[in-house]
């Protein structure tokens, strides 16, 4: 069984930075493509970033490109999302997921989410 536990969310002012983490219990993250998603109130869940099983293929949503960085630490079996130059529209619950897939129905595991709030 795979468990994903996010942490690191909080309240930050616009222009600030925050790093959220996703600790994975179970198989190594080197076995999975991992993804970050977010959902704002009244909106559908949307893709933010992904990193493939080898760590060599990384993708970002256009809305976060150049501001967010996804990374991983295989020794800690943890995936990170470093968020810089935050904007109020980045306010959402952030979820990690595995295995990452564009078809959400094929994603087997989701974390419980961590709230990120960006004040203007």
């Amino acid at each position: 069984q795979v468990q994903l536990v996010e942490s690191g969310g909080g309240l930050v002012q616009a222009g600030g930075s925050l790093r959220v983490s996703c600790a994975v219990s179970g198989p190594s993250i080197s076995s999975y493509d991992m993804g970050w998603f977010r959902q704002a109130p009244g909106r559908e869940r949307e893709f933010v970033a992904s990193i493939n099983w080898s760590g060599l293929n990384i993708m970002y949503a256009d809305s976060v490109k150049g501001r967010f960085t996804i990374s991983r630490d295989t020794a800690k079996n943890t995936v990170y999302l470093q968020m810089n130059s935050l904007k109020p529209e980045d306010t959402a619950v952030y979820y990690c997921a595995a295995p990452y897939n564009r078809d959400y129905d094929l994603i087997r595991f989701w974390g419980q989410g961590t709230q990120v709030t960006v004040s203007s």
Side-chain angles (χ1 to χ4, degrees):
Q1 183 70 11
V2 177
Q3 286 190 319
L4 312 177
V5 180
E6 300 96 335
S7 61
L11 174 64
V12 62
Q13 288 188 331
S17 298
L18 208 58
R19 189 179 77 162
V20 291
S21 303
C22 174
V24 181
S25 62
S28 168
I29 57 175
S30 298
S31 304
Y32 288 96
D33 296 349
M34 300 292 299
W36 282 100
F37 295 79
R38 66 186 182 186
Q39 188 166 19
R43 301 188 65 176
E44 293 186 352
R45 192 168 296 190
E46 65 176 3
F47 167 74
V48 176
S50 66
I51 184 167
N52 83 323
W53 62 272
S54 70
L56 298 179
N57 187 16
I58 290 174
M59 295 188 293
Y60 296 100
D62 288 343
S63 59
V64 307
K65 206 170 290 185
R67 299 188 298 122
F68 289 13
T69 303
I70 188 171
S71 64
R72 66 180 194 170
D73 184 333
T74 54
K76 295 181 178 180
N77 222 35
T78 298
V79 181
Y80 303 99
L81 185 68
Q82 176 68 44
M83 303 181 288
N84 299 329
S85 302
L86 282 161
K87 305 175 182 179
E89 51 263 44
D90 294 318
T91 295
V93 177
Y94 283 72
Y95 299 90
C96 65
Y100 165 71
N101 199 295
R102 292 181 181 182
D103 183 346
Y104 291 10
D105 289 338
L106 298 180
I107 295 175
R108 294 179 58 196
F109 306 106
W110 293 90
Q112 84 287 351
T114 186
Q115 176 71 47
V116 172
T117 302
V118 184
S119 63
S120 57

